[in-house]
């Protein structure tokens, strides 16, 4: 690596033991809905239902906030 021009391949080789090569998992809206629903003991379909049950309001709001962040 001495006296070589720096490029992406050389940098990747030099950092391979320091920085893991795993890529972050892409989180989908369905993942968020499933997680929020399970946290509040609901089914994901209940978050999307047209029911106006008071117990669904807060979990729905949580599920709507996270995809925008």
């Amino acid at each position: 690596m001495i006296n070589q021009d720096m490029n992406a391949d050389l940098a990747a080789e030099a950092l391979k033991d320091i920085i893991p090569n795993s890529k972050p998992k892409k989180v989908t809206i369905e993942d968020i809905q499933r997680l929020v629903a399970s946290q509040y003991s609901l089914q994901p379909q209940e978050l999307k239902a047209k029911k106006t049950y008071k117990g669904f309001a807060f979990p729905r709001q949580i599920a709507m906030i996270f995809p925008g962040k």
Side-chain angles (χ1 to χ4, degrees):
M1 284 198 273
I2 299 173
N3 295 329
Q4 293 182 2
D5 289 335
M6 182 57 78
N7 60 32
D9 293 331
L10 185 59
E13 179 66 27
L15 297 173
K16 72 179 180 184
D17 294 329
I18 299 170
I19 301 173
N21 194 17
S22 62
K23 295 181 181 176
K25 180 183 179 225
K26 185 173 183 176
V27 178
T28 65
I29 292 174
E30 289 79 20
D31 292 335
I32 294 170
Q33 290 173 344
R34 195 171 33 254
L35 182 64
V36 170
S38 69
Q39 187 67 30
Y40 289 94
S41 302
L42 302 172
Q43 296 295 317
Q45 301 89 322
E46 292 174 311
L47 293 176
K48 299 183 238 177
K50 292 185 180 185
K51 296 179 190 177
T52 58
Y53 175 63
K54 190 175 183 179
F56 295 167
F58 187 68
R60 280 183 180 158
Q61 290 171 353
I62 298 296
M64 288 187 295
I65 287 172
F66 283 108
K69 299 239 175 212

